[in-house]
Amino acid sequence: MAKGYWIGRMTVHDAERYKDYVATATPAYEEFGAKFLVRGGDIHAEEGESRTRNVVVEFESVETALACYNSETYSRARAIRQEVADGEIIVVEGFAG
């Protein structure tokens, strides 16, 4: 079974409140077995527009990745993030070949 991934790109407007998002989201990440492959770090925008914060999170499957995103636990964190940052999160299926 292919793994599932969140790819998140954010522009954070309130770094202090963003810490509240991270703290509130942590229980959901733990519950669904999230593994962070990329969490912030330096970026090199070679093509297109970039955002200041980029994240790649691995889950056992797309279904698990979606379950985490749609969970009640993560919904509380998502509400905070949407207040303090602009961005996108997509869920993609990993390459199983």
Side-chain angles (χ1 to χ4, degrees):
M1 173 186 292
K3 296 196 181 253
Y5 297 87
W6 286 12
I7 299 174
R9 300 173 355 106
M10 299 294 144
T11 300
V12 177
H13 303 294
D14 185 337
E16 286 304 309
R17 287 272 336 272
Y18 195 81
K19 292 176 186 176
D20 295 337
Y21 158 70
V22 172
T24 304
T26 297
Y29 299 146
E30 292 171 352
E31 178 182 350
F32 291 93
K35 178 181 176 186
F36 283 82
L37 304 179
V38 175
R39 194 171 196 172
D42 290 339
I43 62 167
H44 303 272
E46 301 299 323
E47 291 187 34
E49 294 184 35
S50 66
R51 293 203 179 260
T52 56
R53 183 156 180 84
N54 300 278
V55 180
V56 178
V57 188
E58 180 182 80
F59 294 87
E60 281 303 309
S61 66
V62 168
E63 292 77 18
T64 305
L66 289 168
C68 182
Y69 183 83
N70 292 307
S71 71
E72 186 174 326
T73 305
Y74 184 73
S75 71
R76 291 187 291 277
R78 183 173 54 239
I80 295 169
R81 180 182 46 77
Q82 290 173 339
E83 289 178 13
V84 301
D86 295 321
E88 340 25 75
I89 293 179
I90 62 169
V91 176
V92 297
E93 182 177 35
F95 179 65

